[in-house]
Structure formats: structure tokens, C-alpha cells
């Protein structure tokens, strides 16, 4: 599912300049397990290395992330330069702004530290930008770093639109490029970022939502091309995945008070479900259990149907897939409860400041 984005009628831009240098940016916090694979992927890029500068931003890591970055920067490479930067604040938007203050390229291309990219990743981004686009990205499905039977269940839940998100970059429904609301691992021409400014450091997990909104508000289109591909590693356990969902939901709640237009209705569905679930439980305690039974029946029917399809689509299905509806339910509740907590925390914080 994609969202076509209309360009404002009064938007007027200068001709697109040529791309002579790409700034490849990696912001990492405690990524010693994943960083070696990503650095190896970067080293094998088939785009001319003398047209790439690599910015490695260490976000106050307490593991060997700093040493890995230093080793790569000091080792044999043919990039135009490898710059090692420090982000003492430790948060992702702060790290992105550290990179923005230092990059020299015509393109700012950020890659998540626990991701993998194919050898043509930089080249394909540049080709799309040179074809007439100001900002672009591609498909970014999730993958398991160490496949195992239980991990396959989590992967099926996260890969499902019902379990996670209908965002276009998560799946592969396109045969041609389209303009979308946002992309993951996006590439942006310098002129775009100069027009919209820095990342909002108040938004610790929704900084890309806000940046994409401001890019579109400035009149630029964000183009998604299915030829651009990358992968993101899934959290390794159910507890880690649920913790991630709760934190993501929390920052959706906070974003509602900072940049509400960056939040879509799809982001709020888990919170609405959580409110309905709590309301029907209270109704059951004091009046009747019928509303809760009806809600549970509808949700269970949807969850089972989606789970059956997800299991059928998975090449590694196993007996643990029977727990898939419960996994999805836990993901929705954690995300929804996180959203409500973030909203209330933001409101309470505003009252305290006043």
C-alpha cells in the first residue's frame, strides 16, 4: 500500500545539480554485533569509492562500537574520507545532526547500524536521484540475524501488515517507483536538507516521520524505487520485540503533542484497540461481558486469518506458529499502551513546565 503525494502547484525548484559526492552516514549505539557486517557491506559497494565519504557516528556506546569504527577508519580503504564523529547525547536524532553538521556530500544517505545493504545500494540511490528526484528510498524488509524456529514466528508477525505496519517500504508490492510519505534508509539531496533544517531532537524515535513531513511540506516529493533494497535485523527475542513496540508507541504519543501531522491514523489503531479493550473489560466488571466477547471474537477472527496467511507464506513454518495470534496481540497491546503512556507523559510534562 502506498500513498501518492501531490506536489504543491507553487513549488518551483532550480534544476537538479549533478552528484559528485555521497555522504554515507551510520549512527550507532552499542552495535558491536551488527556493525562488522554493515561495514563489510559498505566496503563492497560498487559505486566509485572516491565519490563516497563515510561518516561513522558513535552515540556514547559502552561496547566495542568505537573500536570497530576506529579500526575501519584506520584500515585500508579507498573512500574519499572516513570521518569518525562522537554523539555524546547518545540519541539517534542528535547523532544525525552531528553528521549533518560535518557532511560535505551532495547527498546525505543514512543507514541504520543493524542493517544490511547489497553492493548496489549506493549506486541505485544515486541513479534514482539523478533520474530527477530530490529524495528517495527503497524496500526495507526485516530479517533474522540468527534464524531459529521461534525467530521465524516473530519474523512472520513483524512482516505482516496486520502485525506491524502497512508502510510501503516493508513489503514488495510495486513493479515501478512511486511517491510516498516516507522511506527508510532515505537518500536526500543537500538542497532538501538545507531547506527543511535539522532533525528534531525532541523526537527520539519518530525523527524520520517528522523529517519526511517537513520535506513534503516544503514541496519536495519522496520517491520509493523497488530496485533499492536493504534489510533490517529483527529484535532477537519476544521480550526485546515487545520492548521495541512499547517504545515506538510511546514516541508516537509524544509526537502527537510535538508534530501531530507526522502521525498517521495507522499509528493510532493499536492505542484505539487498547482503549476499547480496557473499556470493555470495565463494562464486563460492572455491566455486561458481551462487548468484550464481541471485541475478542472480531479480533481473534482477524488475527487467526492473518496468522494462517503469514504461516502459509513463511518458508520456515513450524509448530510455534500456533502462538502467532497471541504474539500479534501482545505487539498491539504494548504499542497501544506505549502510545497512551507517551501521550499522558507529554501532557503531564507540559503541565509541569507551565
Amino acid at each position: 500500500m502506498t500513498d501518492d503525494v501531490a506536489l504543491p502547484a507553487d513549488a518551483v525548484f532550480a534544476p537538479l545539480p549533478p552528484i559528485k559526492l555521497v555522504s554515507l552516514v551510520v549512527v550507532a549505539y552499542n552495535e558491536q554485533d551488527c556493525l562488522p557486517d554493515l561495514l563489510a557491506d559498505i566496503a563492497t559497494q560498487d559505486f566509485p569509492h572516491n565519490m563516497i565519504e563515510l561518516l561513522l557516528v558513535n552515540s556514547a556506546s559502552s561496547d566495542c562500537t568505537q573500536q570497530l569504527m576506529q579500526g575501519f577508519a584506520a584500515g585500508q580503504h579507498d573512500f574519499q574520507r572516513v570521518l569518525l564523529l562522537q554523539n555524546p547525547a547518545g540519541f539517534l536524532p542528535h547523532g544525525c545532526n552531528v553528521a549533518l553538521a560535518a557532511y560535505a556530500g551532495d547527498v546525505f544517505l543514512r543507514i541504520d547500524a543493524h542493517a544490511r545493504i547489497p553492493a548496489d545500494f549506493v549506486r541505485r540511490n544515486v541513479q534514482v536521484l539523478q533520474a530527477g528526484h530530490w529524495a528517495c528510498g527503497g524496500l526495507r524488509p526485516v530479517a533474522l540475524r540468527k534464524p531459529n524456529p521461534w525467530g521465524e514466528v516473530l519474523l512472520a508477525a513483524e512482516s505482516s501488515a496486520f502485525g506491524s505496519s502497512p508502510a510501503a517500504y516493508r513489503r514488495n508490492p510495486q513493479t515501478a517507483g512511486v511517491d510516498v510519505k516516507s522511506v527508510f534508509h532515505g537518500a536526500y539531496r543537500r538542497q532538501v536538507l538545507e531547506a527543511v533544517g535539522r532533525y528534531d531532537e525532541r523526537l527520539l524515535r519518530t525523527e524520520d516521520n517528522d523529517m519526511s513531513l517537513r520535506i513534503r511540506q516544503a514541496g519536495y516529493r519522496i520517491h520509493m524505487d523497488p530496485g533499492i533494497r536493504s534489510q533490517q535485523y529483527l529484535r532477537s527475542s519476544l521480550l526485546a520485540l515487545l520492548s521495541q513496540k512499547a517504545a515506538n508507541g510511546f514516541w508516537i504519543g509524544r509526537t502527537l503533542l510535538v508534530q501531530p501531522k507526522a502521525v498517521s491514523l495507522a499509528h493510532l489503531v493499536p492505542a484505539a484497540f487498547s482503549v476499547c479493550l480496557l473499556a470493555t473489560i470495565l463494562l464486563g466488571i460492572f455491566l455486561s461481558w458481551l462487548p468484550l466477547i464481541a471485541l475478542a471474537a472480531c479480533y481473534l477472527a482477524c488475527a487467526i486469518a492473518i496468522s494462517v496467511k503469514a504461516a502459509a507464506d513463511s518458508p520456515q513454518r513450524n509448530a510455534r506458529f500456533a502462538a502467532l495470534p497471541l504474539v500479534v496481540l501482545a505487539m498491539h497491546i504494548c504499542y497501544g499502551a506505549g502510545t497512551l503512556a507517551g501521550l499522558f507523559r507529554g501532557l503531564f510534562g507540559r503541565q509541569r513546565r507551565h
Side-chain angles (χ1 to χ4, degrees):
M1 176 176 156
T2 59
D3 300 288
D4 293 332
V5 180
L7 189 68
D10 58 351
V12 178
F13 303 116
L16 275 67
I19 295 172
K20 299 179 181 179
L21 180 65
V22 175
S23 296
L24 197 57
V25 177
V26 179
V27 181
Y29 169 72
N30 286 352
E31 293 289 355
Q32 66 178 14
D33 293 334
C34 299
L35 196 56
D37 288 340
L38 177 59
L39 292 175
D41 290 345
I42 292 172
T44 59
Q45 290 300 296
D46 60 15
F47 188 74
H49 287 194
N50 64 339
M51 296 175 65
I52 297 176
E53 67 164 6
L54 179 59
L55 278 66
L56 301 175
V57 185
N58 177 28
S59 294
S61 299
S62 58
D63 64 358
C64 294
T65 294
Q66 173 77 7
Q67 291 85 341
L68 289 169
M69 290 180 170
Q70 288 175 332
F72 189 87
Q76 294 293 325
H77 63 78
D78 53 355
F79 295 104
Q80 184 170 120
R81 68 169 178 168
V82 177
L83 190 60
L84 181 55
L85 303 170
Q86 300 300 321
N87 170 29
F91 299 113
L92 181 56
H94 299 70
C96 292
N97 285 335
V98 168
L100 280 177
Y103 87 108
D106 305 302
V107 174
F108 185 91
L109 173 54
R110 183 172 70 83
I111 308 168
D112 200 277
H114 45 276
R116 298 296 303 271
I117 56 174
D120 63 359
F121 181 75
V122 174
R123 173 172 56 83
R124 285 186 177 273
N125 274 281
V126 171
Q127 288 174 341
V128 172
L129 293 176
Q130 288 181 329
H133 299 285
W134 290 92
C136 72
L139 298 173
R140 191 239 62 187
V142 290
L144 294 174
R145 183 169 176 269
K146 295 180 179 179
N148 60 80
W150 184 243
E152 296 294 342
V153 177
L154 303 182
L155 179 63
E158 181 68 9
S159 300
S160 165
F162 182 72
S164 58
S165 165
Y169 62 75
R170 290 177 175 268
R171 273 155 286 279
N172 186 16
Q174 284 82 21
T175 56
V178 293
D179 292 336
V180 295
K181 287 185 176 180
S182 64
V183 288
F184 210 93
H185 297 153
Y188 309 99
R189 286 182 177 269
R190 172 176 286 274
Q191 291 80 357
V192 174
L193 296 179
E194 288 178 346
V196 301
R198 292 157 54 94
Y199 286 85
D200 192 332
E201 295 180 352
R202 297 170 296 174
L203 305 176
L204 302 188
R205 287 206 178 212
T206 51
E207 75 289 334
D208 280 334
N209 303 55
D210 168 69
M211 178 61 76
S212 295
L213 172 67
R214 287 189 281 130
I215 288 172
R216 291 185 286 109
Q217 287 177 332
Y220 297 97
R221 288 176 171 173
I222 302 173
H223 191 76
M224 195 194 78
D225 189 292
I228 301 171
R229 294 174 176 269
S230 60
Q231 284 187 330
Q232 190 86 352
Y233 282 135
L234 184 66
R235 293 300 188 271
S236 58
S237 69
L238 177 60
L239 183 60
L241 182 61
L242 295 182
S243 177
Q244 179 196 28
K245 293 299 179 184
N248 289 348
F250 179 88
W251 282 102
I252 288 296
R254 294 298 297 271
T255 305
L256 282 170
L257 302 174
V258 177
Q259 183 63 284
K261 291 183 179 179
V263 178
S264 70
L265 288 177
H267 290 129
L268 300 178
V269 170
F273 171 72
S274 298
V275 169
C276 290
L277 184 61
L278 178 60
T280 54
I281 290 174
L282 292 175
L283 282 173
I285 294 173
F286 295 105
L287 293 175
S288 170
W289 292 103
L290 288 179
L292 178 61
I293 294 172
L295 177 64
C298 291
Y299 182 90
L300 189 61
C302 291
I304 290 176
I306 296 298
S307 298
V308 169
K309 184 180 185 305
D313 292 341
S314 173
Q316 303 295 334
R317 52 187 176 273
N318 56 76
R320 293 175 176 84
F321 271 74
L324 192 53
L326 296 178
V327 171
V328 172
L329 173 62
M331 291 167 58
H332 287 165
I333 291 177
C334 287
Y335 193 104
T339 301
L340 297 175
L343 182 60
F344 291 143
R345 177 72 174 272
L347 290 171
F348 178 70
R350 283 187 171 189
Q351 290 171 353
R352 288 191 61 182
R353 285 194 295 273
H354 286 312

